[in-house]
Amino acid sequence: MKLYHYIHSDSSRRVRMYLAEKGIEVPGESVDISRGESHTPTFTVKNPLGQVPVLELDDGSYLAESIAICRYFEELHPQPLLFGRDPKERAEIEMWSRRVELNFAQPVKRLYRVRYHSGGALSAAAQDAIEAMEQSDLRATARFFDQTLAQRDFLAGADYSIADIMALCTYDMAVRMLRIPLEPDLDDLRRWYEAVSSRPSARA
Ligand SMILES: N[C@@H](CCC(=O)N[C@@H](CS)C(=O)NCC(=O)O)C(=O)O
C-alpha cells in the first residue's frame, strides 16, 4: 500500500490527519503538484484527474478522492470511529461533511484557482469580482459553523469526526495559506480551531 500525496495539498492532509488519528502507518510518496508531477503519464494512470491524494492498494489498483480513501480505512479499522457509530450519527457526519465540502472547501479551492491558475484569462475586474464572491461564501459558512460550534464541541456533534478534519484543512488553507481574514467575532469557531489544531494529528 502507498499514499501518493503532496505536503501543501489540503486534500492530502485530510488523509494524513485521518491516518494519524487512527494510528495507521502507510508509506507515502510525494507528488509535487506545483511542478506538474500529477499530470505526467505515470501519474494519470493512477488518477486520470491528475490529482492527489491517491492510495495504491496491494493488488495494484488505485483509489482517489480523499474521503473515499478515508472511508476505505474506516471499514478496515473502525476504531476510533470517525464516520459515526449508528445510522443517525453517520448521516449527521455525512451532512456536515457535505456542508464543509460544498460550502467551505470549494469556495477556497475556486479562489485559489482564480488567484494563481487563471492563466491570464480573466480581467483584473473579473478576478476581483470572483474573489469577492468566493470570500463572501466562505465567510457566510464560517459564521454558520461558528453558530453551530456555540452549541457543541465539534462540528457534527459531541465527538470529533471526519467533518472536523475536513474543516480544519480548509480553515488552514484559507486563513494561513491564502491569508483570507475571517471576521474577528467568530469566537466559537476559533475555540474549535485551537482545540482541533492542538491534536497531534494536526501536524500530519
Ligand atoms: N476531491 C478531491 C480533490 C483533490 C484535489 O483537489 N487535489 C489537488 C490538491 S489539494 C490537486 O491534486 N491538484 C493538482 C491539479 O489539479 O492539477 C479529493 O478530495 O481528493
Side-chain angles (χ1 to χ4, degrees):
M1 210 179 255
K2 188 194 281 185
L3 182 69
Y4 294 90
H5 67 113
Y6 182 55
I7 188 70
H8 300 301
S9 143
D10 59 310
S11 307
S12 301
R13 187 178 177 216
R14 289 175 177 182
V15 178
R16 292 194 304 265
M17 279 187 66
Y18 174 90
L19 293 173
E21 286 285 339
K22 292 275 187 181
I24 301 170
E25 286 190 19
V26 176
E29 185 171 318
S30 174
V31 178
D32 188 341
I33 59 174
S34 71
R35 293 158 55 101
E37 287 180 8
S38 64
H39 291 278
T40 61
T42 46
F43 192 80
T44 52
V45 294
K46 302 173 179 46
N47 181 4
L49 293 179
Q51 292 181 328
V52 287
V54 169
L55 181 69
E56 181 177 330
L57 302 179
D58 292 338
D59 66 1
S61 62
Y62 300 100
L63 268 180
E65 296 296 329
S66 53
I67 300 308
I69 294 170
C70 295
R71 280 189 181 279
Y72 174 71
F73 283 112
E74 190 82 359
E75 297 280 336
L76 296 178
H77 306 274
Q79 299 296 334
L81 290 165
L82 290 173
F83 283 86
R85 88 195 81 212
D86 57 33
K88 181 161 181 265
E89 214 175 85
R90 282 196 283 275
E92 281 169 348
I93 290 170
E94 178 68 15
M95 174 175 82
W96 282 100
S97 297
R98 290 184 67 78
R99 286 171 171 166
V100 175
E101 187 72 273
L102 299 172
N103 304 328
F104 205 47
Q106 290 307 316
V108 176
K109 280 185 183 283
R110 285 194 295 267
L111 199 148
Y112 175 82
R113 209 180 155 93
V114 160
R115 241 190 231 184
Y116 303 109
H117 293 286
S118 59
L122 295 170
S123 67
Q127 200 152 335
D128 287 351
I130 297 171
E131 168 115 14
M133 207 165 61
E134 303 299 356
Q135 284 207 21
S136 160
D137 284 356
L138 178 73
R139 292 211 179 88
T141 306
R143 184 157 298 283
F144 174 42
F145 287 175
D146 179 67
Q147 287 159 357
T148 302
L149 290 162
Q151 319 292 325
R152 54 200 193 208
D153 286 344
F154 298 108
L155 210 44
D159 297 320
Y160 181 85
S161 77
I162 188 71
D164 296 293
I165 292 177
M166 294 167 72
L168 177 68
C169 293
T170 294
Y171 187 111
D172 276 338
M173 182 174 175
V175 175
R176 297 180 63 181
M177 187 173 155
L178 299 178
R179 307 272 172 214
I180 301 168
L182 294 182
E183 287 154 304
D185 63 332
L186 304 178
D187 296 336
D188 291 295
L189 184 66
R190 290 209 166 75
R191 174 195 47 74
W192 164 88
Y193 178 76
E194 295 304 323
V196 290
S197 309
S198 62
R199 296 171 79 96
S201 63
R203 293 196 289 277

mmCIF file of all heavy atoms in Angstrom, residues 9-54:
data_model
loop_
_atom_site.group_PDB
_atom_site.id
_atom_site.type_symbol
_atom_site.label_atom_id
_atom_site.label_comp_id
_atom_site.label_asym_id
_atom_site.label_seq_id
_atom_site.Cartn_x
_atom_site.Cartn_y
_atom_site.Cartn_z
ATOM 1 N N SER A 9 -0.973 20.125 -0.052
ATOM 2 C CA SER A 9 -2.322 19.833 -0.564
ATOM 3 C C SER A 9 -3.270 19.578 0.600
ATOM 4 O O SER A 9 -3.042 18.689 1.423
ATOM 5 C CB SER A 9 -2.248 18.604 -1.483
ATOM 6 O OG SER A 9 -3.385 17.785 -1.351
ATOM 7 N N ASP A 10 -4.340 20.387 0.675
ATOM 8 C CA ASP A 10 -5.285 20.221 1.786
ATOM 9 C C ASP A 10 -6.013 18.874 1.694
ATOM 10 O O ASP A 10 -6.348 18.270 2.708
ATOM 11 C CB ASP A 10 -6.288 21.376 1.841
ATOM 12 C CG ASP A 10 -7.097 21.498 0.568
ATOM 13 O OD1 ASP A 10 -6.505 21.510 -0.522
ATOM 14 O OD2 ASP A 10 -8.344 21.561 0.657
ATOM 15 N N SER A 11 -6.252 18.393 0.469
ATOM 16 C CA SER A 11 -6.941 17.103 0.328
ATOM 17 C C SER A 11 -6.039 15.965 0.815
ATOM 18 O O SER A 11 -6.507 15.020 1.454
ATOM 19 C CB SER A 11 -7.323 16.856 -1.128
ATOM 20 O OG SER A 11 -8.048 17.947 -1.634
ATOM 21 N N SER A 12 -4.739 16.070 0.514
ATOM 22 C CA SER A 12 -3.797 15.058 1.020
ATOM 23 C C SER A 12 -3.735 15.105 2.548
ATOM 24 O O SER A 12 -3.659 14.067 3.213
ATOM 25 C CB SER A 12 -2.388 15.314 0.475
ATOM 26 O OG SER A 12 -2.360 15.282 -0.925
ATOM 27 N N ARG A 13 -3.779 16.318 3.081
ATOM 28 C CA ARG A 13 -3.678 16.448 4.547
ATOM 29 C C ARG A 13 -4.870 15.788 5.247
ATOM 30 O O ARG A 13 -4.735 15.251 6.338
ATOM 31 C CB ARG A 13 -3.575 17.932 4.923
ATOM 32 C CG ARG A 13 -3.295 18.134 6.400
ATOM 33 C CD ARG A 13 -3.144 19.593 6.733
ATOM 34 N NE ARG A 13 -2.954 19.811 8.161
ATOM 35 C CZ ARG A 13 -3.440 20.842 8.830
ATOM 36 N NH1 ARG A 13 -4.138 21.783 8.186
ATOM 37 N NH2 ARG A 13 -3.251 20.976 10.121
ATOM 38 N N ARG A 14 -6.047 15.849 4.610
ATOM 39 C CA ARG A 14 -7.206 15.162 5.205
ATOM 40 C C ARG A 14 -6.857 13.704 5.483
ATOM 41 O O ARG A 14 -7.136 13.175 6.557
ATOM 42 C CB ARG A 14 -8.385 15.171 4.221
ATOM 43 C CG ARG A 14 -9.041 16.498 4.007
ATOM 44 C CD ARG A 14 -10.090 16.335 2.913
ATOM 45 N NE ARG A 14 -10.838 17.554 2.686
ATOM 46 C CZ ARG A 14 -11.825 17.631 1.798
ATOM 47 N NH1 ARG A 14 -12.154 16.587 1.062
ATOM 48 N NH2 ARG A 14 -12.479 18.755 1.645
ATOM 49 N N VAL A 15 -6.254 13.045 4.476
ATOM 50 C CA VAL A 15 -5.944 11.619 4.623
ATOM 51 C C VAL A 15 -4.830 11.427 5.657
ATOM 52 O O VAL A 15 -4.902 10.538 6.507
ATOM 53 C CB VAL A 15 -5.559 10.993 3.263
ATOM 54 C CG1 VAL A 15 -5.197 9.518 3.435
ATOM 55 C CG2 VAL A 15 -6.700 11.145 2.267
ATOM 56 N N ARG A 16 -3.810 12.300 5.593
ATOM 57 C CA ARG A 16 -2.707 12.152 6.564
ATOM 58 C C ARG A 16 -3.229 12.314 7.991
ATOM 59 O O ARG A 16 -2.852 11.585 8.903
ATOM 60 C CB ARG A 16 -1.594 13.169 6.268
ATOM 61 C CG ARG A 16 -0.844 12.907 4.958
ATOM 62 C CD ARG A 16 0.455 13.717 4.899
ATOM 63 N NE ARG A 16 0.234 15.143 5.073
ATOM 64 C CZ ARG A 16 0.088 16.011 4.073
ATOM 65 N NH1 ARG A 16 0.174 15.599 2.823
ATOM 66 N NH2 ARG A 16 -0.106 17.292 4.310
ATOM 67 N N MET A 17 -4.108 13.324 8.192
ATOM 68 C CA MET A 17 -4.658 13.549 9.540
ATOM 69 C C MET A 17 -5.519 12.373 9.979
ATOM 70 O O MET A 17 -5.466 11.936 11.128
ATOM 71 C CB MET A 17 -5.514 14.824 9.558
ATOM 72 C CG MET A 17 -4.715 16.090 9.691
ATOM 73 S SD MET A 17 -5.803 17.522 9.898
ATOM 74 C CE MET A 17 -6.542 17.188 11.484
ATOM 75 N N TYR A 18 -6.335 11.893 9.045
ATOM 76 C CA TYR A 18 -7.210 10.760 9.352
ATOM 77 C C TYR A 18 -6.369 9.559 9.799
ATOM 78 O O TYR A 18 -6.649 8.924 10.821
ATOM 79 C CB TYR A 18 -8.060 10.416 8.120
ATOM 80 C CG TYR A 18 -8.889 9.181 8.296
ATOM 81 C CD1 TYR A 18 -10.176 9.239 8.819
ATOM 82 C CD2 TYR A 18 -8.370 7.931 7.973
ATOM 83 C CE1 TYR A 18 -10.922 8.086 9.013
ATOM 84 C CE2 TYR A 18 -9.106 6.780 8.166
ATOM 85 C CZ TYR A 18 -10.381 6.863 8.683
ATOM 86 O OH TYR A 18 -11.100 5.718 8.886
ATOM 87 N N LEU A 19 -5.325 9.258 9.047
ATOM 88 C CA LEU A 19 -4.468 8.107 9.371
ATOM 89 C C LEU A 19 -3.776 8.317 10.725
ATOM 90 O O LEU A 19 -3.647 7.381 11.513
ATOM 91 C CB LEU A 19 -3.427 7.880 8.268
ATOM 92 C CG LEU A 19 -3.987 7.425 6.910
ATOM 93 C CD1 LEU A 19 -2.872 7.402 5.853
ATOM 94 C CD2 LEU A 19 -4.635 6.040 7.006
ATOM 95 N N ALA A 20 -3.376 9.566 10.988
ATOM 96 C CA ALA A 20 -2.723 9.852 12.277
ATOM 97 C C ALA A 20 -3.706 9.648 13.426
ATOM 98 O O ALA A 20 -3.342 9.100 14.477
ATOM 99 C CB ALA A 20 -2.189 11.286 12.276
ATOM 100 N N GLU A 21 -4.958 10.079 13.258
ATOM 101 C CA GLU A 21 -5.969 9.865 14.307
ATOM 102 C C GLU A 21 -6.167 8.381 14.575
ATOM 103 O O GLU A 21 -6.406 7.967 15.696
ATOM 104 C CB GLU A 21 -7.310 10.486 13.895
ATOM 105 C CG GLU A 21 -7.355 12.004 13.976
ATOM 106 C CD GLU A 21 -7.458 12.533 15.418
ATOM 107 O OE1 GLU A 21 -7.878 11.767 16.306
ATOM 108 O OE2 GLU A 21 -7.092 13.706 15.621
ATOM 109 N N LYS A 22 -6.079 7.581 13.521
ATOM 110 C CA LYS A 22 -6.305 6.137 13.647
ATOM 111 C C LYS A 22 -5.053 5.395 14.107
ATOM 112 O O LYS A 22 -5.120 4.216 14.437
ATOM 113 C CB LYS A 22 -6.693 5.562 12.273
ATOM 114 C CG LYS A 22 -8.034 6.015 11.770
ATOM 115 C CD LYS A 22 -9.110 5.123 12.356
ATOM 116 C CE LYS A 22 -10.456 5.427 11.751
ATOM 117 N NZ LYS A 22 -11.514 4.588 12.321
ATOM 118 N N GLY A 23 -3.888 6.047 14.002
ATOM 119 C CA GLY A 23 -2.638 5.357 14.311
ATOM 120 C C GLY A 23 -2.252 4.362 13.227
ATOM 121 O O GLY A 23 -1.605 3.352 13.502
ATOM 122 N N ILE A 24 -2.656 4.637 11.984
ATOM 123 C CA ILE A 24 -2.328 3.740 10.866
ATOM 124 C C ILE A 24 -1.137 4.323 10.115
ATOM 125 O O ILE A 24 -1.137 5.514 9.781
ATOM 126 C CB ILE A 24 -3.524 3.620 9.884
ATOM 127 C CG1 ILE A 24 -4.770 3.091 10.597
ATOM 128 C CG2 ILE A 24 -3.170 2.730 8.696
ATOM 129 C CD1 ILE A 24 -6.044 3.177 9.749
ATOM 130 N N GLU A 25 -0.142 3.490 9.853
ATOM 131 C CA GLU A 25 1.017 3.972 9.088
ATOM 132 C C GLU A 25 0.977 3.418 7.674
ATOM 133 O O GLU A 25 0.843 2.217 7.484
ATOM 134 C CB GLU A 25 2.308 3.557 9.782
ATOM 135 C CG GLU A 25 2.525 4.406 11.022
ATOM 136 C CD GLU A 25 3.891 4.248 11.650
ATOM 137 O OE1 GLU A 25 4.808 3.758 10.955
ATOM 138 O OE2 GLU A 25 4.000 4.616 12.820
ATOM 139 N N VAL A 26 1.059 4.310 6.701
ATOM 140 C CA VAL A 26 1.057 3.902 5.290
ATOM 141 C C VAL A 26 2.255 4.587 4.640
ATOM 142 O O VAL A 26 2.417 5.811 4.783
ATOM 143 C CB VAL A 26 -0.254 4.365 4.593
ATOM 144 C CG1 VAL A 26 -0.229 4.040 3.112
ATOM 145 C CG2 VAL A 26 -1.473 3.728 5.239
ATOM 146 N N PRO A 27 3.109 3.855 3.930
ATOM 147 C CA PRO A 27 4.234 4.516 3.252
ATOM 148 C C PRO A 27 3.708 5.560 2.270
ATOM 149 O O PRO A 27 2.666 5.350 1.641
ATOM 150 C CB PRO A 27 4.932 3.370 2.502
ATOM 151 C CG PRO A 27 4.360 2.103 3.030
ATOM 152 C CD PRO A 27 3.054 2.413 3.681
ATOM 153 N N GLY A 28 4.433 6.666 2.177
ATOM 154 C CA GLY A 28 3.974 7.753 1.313
ATOM 155 C C GLY A 28 4.977 8.059 0.219
ATOM 156 O O GLY A 28 6.158 7.754 0.332
ATOM 157 N N GLU A 29 4.484 8.657 -0.854
ATOM 158 C CA GLU A 29 5.374 9.172 -1.907
ATOM 159 C C GLU A 29 4.872 10.546 -2.299
ATOM 160 O O GLU A 29 3.686 10.727 -2.593
ATOM 161 C CB GLU A 29 5.372 8.222 -3.117
ATOM 162 C CG GLU A 29 6.379 8.671 -4.167
ATOM 163 C CD GLU A 29 6.555 7.640 -5.266
ATOM 164 O OE1 GLU A 29 6.632 6.423 -4.982
ATOM 165 O OE2 GLU A 29 6.601 8.081 -6.440
ATOM 166 N N SER A 30 5.793 11.511 -2.291
ATOM 167 C CA SER A 30 5.391 12.885 -2.610
ATOM 168 C C SER A 30 5.240 13.080 -4.119
ATOM 169 O O SER A 30 6.064 12.613 -4.908
ATOM 170 C CB SER A 30 6.451 13.848 -2.063
ATOM 171 O OG SER A 30 6.143 15.152 -2.493
ATOM 172 N N VAL A 31 4.172 13.775 -4.487
ATOM 173 C CA VAL A 31 3.933 14.156 -5.888
ATOM 174 C C VAL A 31 3.853 15.682 -5.881
ATOM 175 O O VAL A 31 2.917 16.253 -5.313
ATOM 176 C CB VAL A 31 2.597 13.553 -6.397
ATOM 177 C CG1 VAL A 31 2.320 13.979 -7.826
ATOM 178 C CG2 VAL A 31 2.609 12.039 -6.277
ATOM 179 N N ASP A 32 4.850 16.333 -6.472
ATOM 180 C CA ASP A 32 4.901 17.798 -6.402
ATOM 181 C C ASP A 32 3.955 18.389 -7.450
ATOM 182 O O ASP A 32 4.315 18.548 -8.618
ATOM 183 C CB ASP A 32 6.346 18.265 -6.618
ATOM 184 C CG ASP A 32 6.484 19.764 -6.370
ATOM 185 O OD1 ASP A 32 5.457 20.481 -6.383
ATOM 186 O OD2 ASP A 32 7.630 20.216 -6.164
ATOM 187 N N ILE A 33 2.747 18.719 -7.001
ATOM 188 C CA ILE A 33 1.742 19.222 -7.957
ATOM 189 C C ILE A 33 2.137 20.595 -8.505
ATOM 190 O O ILE A 33 1.732 20.961 -9.600
ATOM 191 C CB ILE A 33 0.308 19.239 -7.358
ATOM 192 C CG1 ILE A 33 0.229 20.118 -6.118
ATOM 193 C CG2 ILE A 33 -0.170 17.831 -7.062
ATOM 194 C CD1 ILE A 33 -1.190 20.275 -5.575
ATOM 195 N N SER A 34 2.957 21.332 -7.750
ATOM 196 C CA SER A 34 3.364 22.662 -8.233
ATOM 197 C C SER A 34 4.296 22.543 -9.442
ATOM 198 O O SER A 34 4.484 23.483 -10.204
ATOM 199 C CB SER A 34 4.047 23.461 -7.121
ATOM 200 O OG SER A 34 5.319 22.920 -6.856
ATOM 201 N N ARG A 35 4.912 21.364 -9.622
ATOM 202 C CA ARG A 35 5.773 21.124 -10.784
ATOM 203 C C ARG A 35 5.090 20.249 -11.826
ATOM 204 O O ARG A 35 5.741 19.715 -12.723
ATOM 205 C CB ARG A 35 7.087 20.472 -10.330
ATOM 206 C CG ARG A 35 7.952 21.409 -9.479
ATOM 207 C CD ARG A 35 8.935 20.634 -8.623
ATOM 208 N NE ARG A 35 9.757 19.736 -9.411
ATOM 209 C CZ ARG A 35 11.001 19.977 -9.778
ATOM 210 N NH1 ARG A 35 11.574 21.106 -9.395
ATOM 211 N NH2 ARG A 35 11.669 19.130 -10.489
ATOM 212 N N GLY A 36 3.775 20.079 -11.685
ATOM 213 C CA GLY A 36 3.004 19.332 -12.683
ATOM 214 C C GLY A 36 3.165 17.821 -12.593
ATOM 215 O O GLY A 36 2.770 17.097 -13.513
ATOM 216 N N GLU A 37 3.748 17.336 -11.484
ATOM 217 C CA GLU A 37 4.026 15.888 -11.412
ATOM 218 C C GLU A 37 2.767 15.016 -11.403
ATOM 219 O O GLU A 37 2.844 13.834 -11.680
ATOM 220 C CB GLU A 37 4.877 15.579 -10.169
ATOM 221 C CG GLU A 37 6.321 16.030 -10.317
ATOM 222 C CD GLU A 37 7.177 15.735 -9.092
ATOM 223 O OE1 GLU A 37 6.720 15.044 -8.154
ATOM 224 O OE2 GLU A 37 8.321 16.221 -9.061
ATOM 225 N N SER A 38 1.604 15.629 -11.086
ATOM 226 C CA SER A 38 0.370 14.819 -11.062
ATOM 227 C C SER A 38 -0.256 14.707 -12.452
ATOM 228 O O SER A 38 -1.279 14.053 -12.615
ATOM 229 C CB SER A 38 -0.638 15.409 -10.072
ATOM 230 O OG SER A 38 -1.032 16.694 -10.494
ATOM 231 N N HIS A 39 0.354 15.362 -13.436
ATOM 232 C CA HIS A 39 -0.197 15.287 -14.798
ATOM 233 C C HIS A 39 0.725 14.538 -15.759
ATOM 234 O O HIS A 39 0.544 14.600 -16.970
ATOM 235 C CB HIS A 39 -0.519 16.702 -15.329
ATOM 236 C CG HIS A 39 -1.681 17.307 -14.592
ATOM 237 N ND1 HIS A 39 -2.993 17.016 -14.913
ATOM 238 C CD2 HIS A 39 -1.731 18.140 -13.532
ATOM 239 C CE1 HIS A 39 -3.797 17.658 -14.069
ATOM 240 N NE2 HIS A 39 -3.054 18.350 -13.227
ATOM 241 N N THR A 40 1.706 13.848 -15.211
ATOM 242 C CA THR A 40 2.575 13.028 -16.077
ATOM 243 C C THR A 40 1.845 11.724 -16.398
ATOM 244 O O THR A 40 0.982 11.283 -15.612
ATOM 245 C CB THR A 40 3.903 12.699 -15.353
ATOM 246 O OG1 THR A 40 3.573 11.964 -14.171
ATOM 247 C CG2 THR A 40 4.669 13.945 -14.973
ATOM 248 N N PRO A 41 2.187 11.080 -17.516
ATOM 249 C CA PRO A 41 1.515 9.817 -17.864
ATOM 250 C C PRO A 41 1.653 8.758 -16.767
ATOM 251 O O PRO A 41 0.728 7.984 -16.547
ATOM 252 C CB PRO A 41 2.225 9.385 -19.150
ATOM 253 C CG PRO A 41 2.828 10.632 -19.694
ATOM 254 C CD PRO A 41 3.134 11.527 -18.537
ATOM 255 N N THR A 42 2.772 8.753 -16.040
ATOM 256 C CA THR A 42 2.900 7.733 -14.997
ATOM 257 C C THR A 42 1.936 7.998 -13.839
ATOM 258 O O THR A 42 1.539 7.070 -13.142
ATOM 259 C CB THR A 42 4.334 7.655 -14.417
ATOM 260 O OG1 THR A 42 4.788 8.969 -14.149
ATOM 261 C CG2 THR A 42 5.296 6.920 -15.323
ATOM 262 N N PHE A 43 1.579 9.273 -13.648
ATOM 263 C CA PHE A 43 0.635 9.530 -12.553
ATOM 264 C C PHE A 43 -0.819 9.434 -13.017
ATOM 265 O O PHE A 43 -1.676 8.954 -12.255
ATOM 266 C CB PHE A 43 0.888 10.891 -11.877
ATOM 267 C CG PHE A 43 0.106 11.008 -10.597
ATOM 268 C CD1 PHE A 43 0.568 10.411 -9.423
ATOM 269 C CD2 PHE A 43 -1.126 11.638 -10.569
ATOM 270 C CE1 PHE A 43 -0.176 10.444 -8.249
ATOM 271 C CE2 PHE A 43 -1.877 11.684 -9.393
ATOM 272 C CZ PHE A 43 -1.395 11.090 -8.230
ATOM 273 N N THR A 44 -1.125 9.873 -14.213
ATOM 274 C CA THR A 44 -2.539 9.861 -14.627
ATOM 275 C C THR A 44 -3.090 8.447 -14.844
ATOM 276 O O THR A 44 -4.305 8.277 -14.880
ATOM 277 C CB THR A 44 -2.800 10.754 -15.866
ATOM 278 O OG1 THR A 44 -1.886 10.384 -16.886
ATOM 279 C CG2 THR A 44 -2.667 12.216 -15.531
ATOM 280 N N VAL A 45 -2.214 7.450 -14.930
ATOM 281 C CA VAL A 45 -2.762 6.079 -14.912
ATOM 282 C C VAL A 45 -3.302 5.749 -13.511
ATOM 283 O O VAL A 45 -4.195 4.925 -13.362
ATOM 284 C CB VAL A 45 -1.752 4.981 -15.352
ATOM 285 C CG1 VAL A 45 -1.377 5.124 -16.798
ATOM 286 C CG2 VAL A 45 -0.526 4.956 -14.467
ATOM 287 N N LYS A 46 -2.758 6.434 -12.510
ATOM 288 C CA LYS A 46 -3.230 6.212 -11.129
ATOM 289 C C LYS A 46 -4.526 6.991 -10.887
ATOM 290 O O LYS A 46 -5.468 6.494 -10.281
ATOM 291 C CB LYS A 46 -2.165 6.648 -10.121
ATOM 292 C CG LYS A 46 -0.822 5.927 -10.286
ATOM 293 C CD LYS A 46 0.223 6.530 -9.360
ATOM 294 C CE LYS A 46 1.593 5.895 -9.418
ATOM 295 N NZ LYS A 46 2.192 5.615 -10.703
ATOM 296 N N ASN A 47 -4.547 8.242 -11.332
ATOM 297 C CA ASN A 47 -5.766 9.055 -11.232
ATOM 298 C C ASN A 47 -5.865 9.920 -12.488
ATOM 299 O O ASN A 47 -5.139 10.904 -12.634
ATOM 300 C CB ASN A 47 -5.721 9.946 -9.984
ATOM 301 C CG ASN A 47 -6.995 10.796 -9.854
ATOM 302 O OD1 ASN A 47 -7.932 10.654 -10.657
ATOM 303 N ND2 ASN A 47 -7.010 11.676 -8.868
ATOM 304 N N PRO A 48 -6.787 9.579 -13.392
ATOM 305 C CA PRO A 48 -6.902 10.331 -14.650
ATOM 306 C C PRO A 48 -7.175 11.816 -14.439
ATOM 307 O O PRO A 48 -6.928 12.624 -15.336
ATOM 308 C CB PRO A 48 -8.090 9.657 -15.353
ATOM 309 C CG PRO A 48 -8.197 8.304 -14.738
ATOM 310 C CD PRO A 48 -7.716 8.443 -13.322
ATOM 311 N N LEU A 49 -7.666 12.205 -13.250
ATOM 312 C CA LEU A 49 -7.904 13.631 -12.990
ATOM 313 C C LEU A 49 -6.610 14.377 -12.649
ATOM 314 O O LEU A 49 -6.611 15.605 -12.527
ATOM 315 C CB LEU A 49 -8.909 13.806 -11.844
ATOM 316 C CG LEU A 49 -10.334 13.334 -12.140
ATOM 317 C CD1 LEU A 49 -11.224 13.548 -10.904
ATOM 318 C CD2 LEU A 49 -10.923 14.083 -13.332
ATOM 319 N N GLY A 50 -5.521 13.641 -12.466
ATOM 320 C CA GLY A 50 -4.238 14.298 -12.187
ATOM 321 C C GLY A 50 -4.217 14.987 -10.835
ATOM 322 O O GLY A 50 -3.629 16.059 -10.692
ATOM 323 N N GLN A 51 -4.856 14.357 -9.856
ATOM 324 C CA GLN A 51 -4.919 14.972 -8.525
ATOM 325 C C GLN A 51 -4.429 14.007 -7.452
ATOM 326 O O GLN A 51 -4.598 12.783 -7.578
ATOM 327 C CB GLN A 51 -6.369 15.368 -8.200
ATOM 328 C CG GLN A 51 -6.888 16.508 -9.076
ATOM 329 C CD GLN A 51 -8.312 16.889 -8.721
ATOM 330 O OE1 GLN A 51 -9.111 16.049 -8.314
ATOM 331 N NE2 GLN A 51 -8.634 18.159 -8.876
ATOM 332 N N VAL A 52 -3.883 14.583 -6.387
ATOM 333 C CA VAL A 52 -3.589 13.823 -5.167
ATOM 334 C C VAL A 52 -4.676 14.165 -4.147
ATOM 335 O O VAL A 52 -5.292 15.225 -4.258
ATOM 336 C CB VAL A 52 -2.192 14.193 -4.602
ATOM 337 C CG1 VAL A 52 -1.102 13.600 -5.460
ATOM 338 C CG2 VAL A 52 -2.005 15.699 -4.415
ATOM 339 N N PRO A 53 -4.910 13.292 -3.178
ATOM 340 C CA PRO A 53 -4.220 12.057 -2.858
ATOM 341 C C PRO A 53 -4.721 10.882 -3.678
ATOM 342 O O PRO A 53 -5.856 10.882 -4.150
ATOM 343 C CB PRO A 53 -4.580 11.851 -1.382
ATOM 344 C CG PRO A 53 -5.963 12.416 -1.252
ATOM 345 C CD PRO A 53 -5.965 13.614 -2.169
ATOM 346 N N VAL A 54 -3.829 9.881 -3.785
ATOM 347 C CA VAL A 54 -4.191 8.598 -4.394
ATOM 348 C C VAL A 54 -3.601 7.494 -3.510
ATOM 349 O O VAL A 54 -2.450 7.586 -3.083
ATOM 350 C CB VAL A 54 -3.615 8.468 -5.827
ATOM 351 C CG1 VAL A 54 -3.767 7.051 -6.350
ATOM 352 C CG2 VAL A 54 -4.308 9.445 -6.776
#
